[in-house]
């Protein structure tokens, strides 16, 4: 589980926590990370040539590599993914461990995508961008996705999703991620 925001009180981190709970209910062992624990410089080819891929990108790639499925929950910034998300994917796509092709970690597991936004579109455009980016990395991105609109008002006092349609969409996403992950094992 990869929330694409480091912000205190992040709506996407909240959705990631809710999705982690649903995944656990579906029988999955879930690791919810913070990209703050995998801080990376802005991708620069000269930096890579000089110093190699940063250790945090290698560590994140290996963390992804021990899981059968990945859910990225991204904010939408100016109709696309935040630089944090793109930069992380760019670095991880450059990792090549022994006996692997470069970026192989994207090839052999299932990816799911979700977004939360205060607005009506729920981060739909960020999801379109993220699906394209992951597809360019030859990832299998499951067809279901979740764009949580008006995310500020989507939760009750107990931090549960209020609207049955949102609950159903999240459950369907989780079910499909587990299903496709199992088929790809
Ligand atoms: C630079 C910037 C650009 C944004 N652009 C969009 C946008 O295009 N669409 C949208 O729905 N929200 C946009 N937002 C609002 C974010 O969706 C909102 O701040 C959201 O809470 C960020 O996610 P987080 O709560 O997980 O940090 C933008 C916010 C920032 C800071």
């Amino acid at each position: 589980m990869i929330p694409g925001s480091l912000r205190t009180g992040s709506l996407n981190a909240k959705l990631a926590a809710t999705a982690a709970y649903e995944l656990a209910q579906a029988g999955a062992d879930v690791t919810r990370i913070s990209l703050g624990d995998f801080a990376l410089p802005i991708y620069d080819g000269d930096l890579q040539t000089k110093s190699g891929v940063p250790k945090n990108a290698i560590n994140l790639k290996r963390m992804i590599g021990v899981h059968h499925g990945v859910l990225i929950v991204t904010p939408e910034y100016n109709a696309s993914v935040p630089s944090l998300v793109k930069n992380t994917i760019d670095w991880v796509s450059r990792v090549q461990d022994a006996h692997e092709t470069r970026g192989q970690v994207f090839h052999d597991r299932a990816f799911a995508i979700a977004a939360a936004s205060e607005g009506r579109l729920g981060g739909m455009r960020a999801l379109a961008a993220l699906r394209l980016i992951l597809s360019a990395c030859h990832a299998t991105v499951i067809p279901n996705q979740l764009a949580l609109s008006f995310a500020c008002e989507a939760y009750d006092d107990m931090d549960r999703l209020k609207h049955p349609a949102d609950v159903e969409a999240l459950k369907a996403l989780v079910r499909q991620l587990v299903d496709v992950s199992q088929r790809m094992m």
Side-chain angles (χ1 to χ4, degrees), residues 3-14 73-80 82 116-126 151-152:
S5 171
L6 304 177
R7 193 177 70 81
T8 306
S10 160
L11 297 168
N12 286 276
K14 196 165 172 173
V73 186
T74 184
E76 179 171 285
Y77 282 2
N78 296 317
S80 189
S117 147
E118 297 159 8
R120 179 182 304 278
L121 295 180
M124 190 70 87
R125 295 166 300 179
C152 284

Side-chain angles (χ1 to χ4, degrees), residues 18-30 171 174-175 178:
T18 311
Y21 173 79
E22 288 297 339
L23 274 163
Q25 293 291 104
D29 288 327
V30 185
K171 283 185 191 293
V174 160
R175 270 197 306 270
V178 170

Side-chain angles (χ1 to χ4, degrees), residues 2 23 34 57 73 79 90 97 112 118 138 155 167 174 178 183 185:
I2 306 180
L23 274 163
S34 166
V73 186
D90 288 344
D97 271 325
E118 297 159 8
H138 305 290
Y155 287 88
V167 175
V174 160
V178 170
R183 278 194 272 134
M185 279 181 195

